[in-house]
Amino acid sequence: MTAKLKLSTLEGWLWDSATILRGSIDSADFKNYIFGLLFLKRFNDVFEEAITRIIEKDHITRAAAEKKTYFKMPPESRWEDIKVKTENIGNALDIAFAAIERENATLEGVMTATKFNDKEKLSDEILKRLLQHFSKHSLKNQDLYTPDLLGDAYEYLLKQFADDAGKKGGEFYTPKGVAITIVRLIKPQPGNTVYDPTCGSGGMLIESAKYVAALLKGKTDNHINISLYGQEKNLGTWAIAKMNMILHNFMDADLRKGDTLTDPLHKNKKNELRQYDRVIANPPFSQSGWWTPAETTHEVKLDKNGKEKKITPNYTKAVVDKYNRFVFGIPPRGYADLAFVQHMLAVLAKDGKAGVVLPHGALFRSGTEGAIREKLLKADVIEAIIGLPAALFYNTTIPASIWIIGKSRPAHLKNKVIIIDASNEYKEGKNQNELLDTHINKIVNTYDHFVLGNNMKVNDKFARTVDIAEIAQNEYSLNISRYINSSEIEVAINLHEVKAAISELEAKEKVIDQTLANYLKELGI
C-alpha cells in the first residue's frame, strides 16, 4: 500500500516547482502558474478517483461513469495526455483550462486567468519539467493524509509566495495570525453568512469556516454550516481565491470579480445590497483614486501655455452612490479606508459584527476623514480599536489596527470604545513580524472581557474602555497613544541612599584590598 502524502512532503514538492520557474518569470507571478498546474493535476486525480468509485459502486462502463461525475473533465484536459507532449505545451494547457471552464460553469474565468502559451516566458522545456514534476505524486483524496491537506499546503504556498514576491504579496495574502485574530474577535456562528468585500485569496473566509467547524453544530459530516461570500477586484487574485475555496472543499462559496466600492455585486431580488451576519476585510491600505468613474472621466483644461491639463476630480461632487452607502460622508480621493468601513456597515445585519484592518492614519487623520470618524463615533458603531505591531504585513512595514464595528452592542458598552494596544505583542521575524497564539489569546481574551463585562483585571497600559466624551475632548481622534500610556513608570532615585551604598562598597573594597595584600606578602610577592 502506498504511503499517504504528508503535509511536509507536499509543501516541499510544491515549493520546488518554483525553482523550475526561477529566471524565466517574475517571482510575483509564480503563484499564477504553479496554482494553475496544481489545480489541473488535482482536478484530474479527483476525477479519476470518482470514476473508479462510480464503476465499482454501479458496475457500469467508464463512459457511463464519466457522465455521472459532479465535475466534468473533457478529453483535451486529461493530465495523462498533456504530460507526454513535447512541443506547444503552453497552447495545450490553455486549451485544457478553457475546456474545463466550458464544461463546468462554476469555474468560468478561473482557469483561463493565466496564459501558458507565451514561449518568451515559458519554453516547452520548462513546461515539460513542470509537468514531470507535478506527476510525481497522486493528489487523490485517498492518497492524502487528511482530506484538507491540499488546502493547508495551498495556504503555505500563499505565504511563501507573499514572502518571495515582497511588496506585491500583500495584494493577495493576509498573514494568518491577523486573519485568525479578526475571526476570533467577530466570532462567526453556525448558520452565519460571512462576507469579505476585498477577499484576496480568500484566507479570511477560510479561517471563518474553520472557526465555525470547531463549534457545536458547526460541522455535519464534511459540510461546514456556514455560507461564504466575497468580491475581489484583481482577476488573477480572484481566480486564486476560487481555486482556494475548491481545494478547501467550499464548492458553493459565492466569490465574484469586480470593484466593490464602485460596483458591489451581491444583491437580493430587489436589487438591494445583501445583508450579512459577519463582514471581514483587509482592504488595500489608503487606496487613492478609489472611485473609478471619476478617475476615467477627468475634465481637461488648457494651462497658460496652451497645454492640456487634467483637473483633479472633486470627490464630494463626483461620487454618486446609488446604494447610499456613504451616509457618514464621502472620503477624500487619496484615502479609501473609511469608504470600505461604510460599505461594510451598509451590508452588515442589524445584530451582526464586522472586523476590518486599516492603517493607523485612519485613526487620526483630520479634514473629511475626521468628520466621518466623528459621525461614526456619535452613531456608536465603533466597538473596538486594536493596535497591531509594525511589520506584520507583506506590503508595508507600518503598523495597522483592527476596527470592530456593529449596529448593536451590550448596554454596558453604549457610547464607549474598547481600545487595546497590542503593538508589543509579536514574535520578531527576519522580514515580517508574526502574531503567535499567545499574542492572539491575549488580545481576544481582553476584548471578550470587556464585551462580557466580567471581573477579569486588565492592565490599563494594555487596554481600557474609553467614553465617547473623552474621545470628543481629543477632537474624535482614535490615536491609541492618547488613551493607552504603555510607557513604564520610572522608579524614583534617592540620591542619599545611593551615596550611602557607594560609601559602603568603597569600605568593603578597602578591606578586600588589604586582605589581598597580606596574602601576597605571605607568599613573598
Side-chain angles (χ1 to χ4, degrees):
M1 183 177 178
T2 305
K4 292 183 179 290
L5 195 60
K6 294 185 178 181
L7 181 60
S8 57
T9 304
L10 183 57
E11 289 175 344
W13 172 55
L14 294 175
W15 183 246
D16 285 344
S17 61
T19 304
I20 298 173
L21 286 170
R22 292 191 191 280
S24 299
I25 59 174
D26 189 274
S27 61
D29 295 325
F30 283 177
K31 63 184 185 300
N32 300 323
Y33 298 99
I34 293 176
F35 290 161
L37 290 175
L38 166 64
F39 196 75
L40 181 62
K41 180 62 162 61
R42 165 73 166 171
F43 214 67
N44 268 270
D45 286 355
V46 172
F47 177 76
E48 290 299 323
E49 187 176 36
I51 292 296
T52 301
R53 184 172 60 250
I54 292 170
I55 292 175
E56 292 177 351
K57 178 175 176 286
D58 298 341
H59 304 288
I60 57 178
T61 65
R62 179 183 173 94
E66 288 189 7
K67 294 180 181 179
K68 297 185 71 172
T69 57
Y70 180 74
F71 283 113
K72 305 305 175 186
M73 182 63 67
E76 57 266 51
S77 305
R78 305 294 168 89
W79 185 267
E80 293 301 314
D81 294 331
I82 295 173
K83 75 175 185 179
V84 297
K85 292 186 178 295
T86 58
E87 57 183 23
N88 297 322
I89 300 174
N91 184 56
L93 286 169
D94 286 348
I95 291 173
F97 291 135
I100 290 176
E101 286 189 13
R102 184 188 69 234
E103 299 297 327
N104 301 275
T106 58
L107 293 176
E108 182 179 357
V110 175
M111 310 296 290
T112 55
T114 299
K115 302 300 181 184
F116 283 79
N117 191 26
D118 184 347
K119 291 190 177 182
E120 291 186 3
K121 287 184 177 180
L122 296 171
S123 65
D124 281 329
E125 180 58 32
I126 289 175
L127 288 174
K128 185 176 180 180
R129 288 177 60 196
L130 281 172
L131 291 172
Q132 290 173 344
H133 182 76
F134 275 95
S135 296
K136 289 181 180 179
H137 295 288
S138 166
L139 297 178
K140 295 176 181 178
N141 288 319
Q142 66 186 29
D143 295 323
L144 301 180
Y145 193 71
T146 66
D148 197 33
L149 184 68
L150 204 60
D152 292 339
Y154 195 85
E155 289 180 18
Y156 162 82
L157 282 177
L158 284 172
K159 179 185 182 301
Q160 293 301 319
F161 283 127
D163 283 336
D164 203 53
K167 290 186 177 180
K168 291 184 179 180
E171 296 174 2
F172 61 92
Y173 181 79
T174 299
K176 192 168 186 177
V178 176
I180 291 174
T181 301
I182 301 179
V183 169
R184 289 184 57 188
L185 289 169
I186 65 174
K187 297 176 175 55
Q189 298 298 303
N192 275 179
T193 53
V194 182
Y195 166 69
D196 186 341
T198 58
C199 67
S201 58
M204 291 205 285
L205 291 173
I206 297 290
E207 290 301 332
S208 298
K210 288 182 177 180
Y211 180 88
V212 168
L215 301 176
L216 183 65
K217 298 182 180 179
K219 187 175 183 179
T220 304
D221 296 326
N222 289 323
H223 175 71
I224 298 176
N225 189 14
I226 192 172
S227 298
L228 303 178
Y229 301 82
Q231 186 164 336
E232 171 55 41
K233 183 177 181 179
N234 182 284
L235 174 62
T237 306
W238 168 82
I240 288 174
K242 289 280 285 186
M243 294 183 200
N244 198 5
M245 292 295 158
I246 293 171
L247 291 174
H248 278 90
N249 297 317
F250 298 114
M251 314 301 293
D252 54 355
D254 185 354
L255 305 187
R256 306 190 186 184
K257 54 180 181 290
D259 188 334
T260 299
L261 291 181
T262 59
D263 187 23
L265 296 174
H266 293 87
K267 287 166 278 193
N268 60 24
K269 293 180 180 179
K270 296 181 181 180
N271 205 37
E272 301 168 332
L273 293 181
R274 180 168 183 151
Q275 303 283 290
Y276 304 92
D277 301 303
R278 298 291 185 271
V279 182
I280 188 168
N282 174 22
F285 289 175
S286 301
Q287 179 183 336
S288 63
W290 52 272
W291 192 256
T292 309
E295 299 301 322
T296 55
T297 57
H298 272 307
E299 291 184 38
V300 177
K301 71 175 182 179
L302 297 178
D303 63 15
K304 61 182 180 180
N305 298 317
K307 292 184 178 180
E308 289 188 350
K309 181 181 179 181
K310 290 184 177 180
I311 301 175
T312 301
N314 181 346
Y315 268 43
T316 304
K317 296 180 180 179
V319 177
V320 180
D321 177 43
K322 63 182 179 180
Y323 302 104
N324 197 33
R325 291 170 293 173
F326 308 126
V327 294
F328 297 98
I330 297 172
R333 178 173 179 254
Y335 302 102
D337 305 309
L338 297 184
F340 284 110
V341 168
Q342 291 186 80
H343 170 77
M344 294 173 75
L345 269 170
V347 300
L348 187 64
K350 186 177 181 180
D351 58 349
K353 189 168 286 192
V356 57
V357 184
L358 297 177
H360 265 4
L363 296 172
F364 54 77
R365 285 192 293 255
S366 57
T368 305
E369 287 182 290
I372 296 172
R373 193 170 54 248
E374 177 180 345
K375 291 176 183 177
L376 288 168
L377 286 162
K378 286 181 176 178
D380 204 21
V381 295
I382 302 177
E383 181 176 287
I385 300 292
I386 298 97
L388 295 174
L392 283 180
F393 296 85
Y394 295 94
N395 58 343
T396 181
T397 58
I398 65 171
S401 57
I402 296 172
W403 295 38
I404 303 300
I405 56 180
K407 298 174 182 176
S408 62
R409 66 178 65 192
H412 66 277
L413 287 179
K414 293 287 186 182
N415 296 309
K416 296 178 185 292
V417 178
I418 301 166
I419 297 184
I420 300 174
D421 181 6
S423 58
N424 294 316
E425 302 298 318
Y426 65 93
K427 175 187 176 184
E428 188 172 358
K430 182 179 179 182
N431 297 318
Q432 273 80 36
N433 294 327
E434 182 181 2
L435 288 176
L436 301 181
D437 287 343
T438 52
H439 309 127
I440 298 171
N441 289 338
K442 184 176 180 180
I443 293 169
V444 174
N445 291 341
T446 301
Y447 168 81
D448 289 347
H449 152 72
F450 288 119
V451 172
L452 296 173
N454 61 29
N455 296 319
M456 184 180 91
K457 187 175 181 179
V458 176
N459 182 354
D460 62 6
K461 290 186 175 297
F462 180 70
R464 57 183 286 248
T465 56
V466 182
D467 288 329
I468 296 296
E470 181 180 346
I471 297 174
Q473 291 175 355
N474 286 306
E475 298 179 326
Y476 295 96
S477 168
L478 287 171
N479 194 340
I480 294 172
S481 62
R482 293 199 178 197
Y483 307 101
I484 305 289
N485 180 10
S486 59
S487 60
E488 296 294 330
I489 299 175
E490 294 185 5
V491 179
I493 299 174
N494 187 317
L495 294 178
H496 295 290
E497 291 180 358
V498 172
K499 183 178 180 181
I502 292 174
S503 297
E504 184 179 350
L505 289 172
E506 288 176 343
K508 289 181 179 180
E509 185 180 14
K510 287 181 180 180
V511 172
I512 293 171
D513 288 344
Q514 186 59 53
T515 302
L516 178 61
N518 292 337
Y519 285 143
L520 293 174
K521 186 176 180 179
E522 290 177 8
L523 294 171
I525 299 176

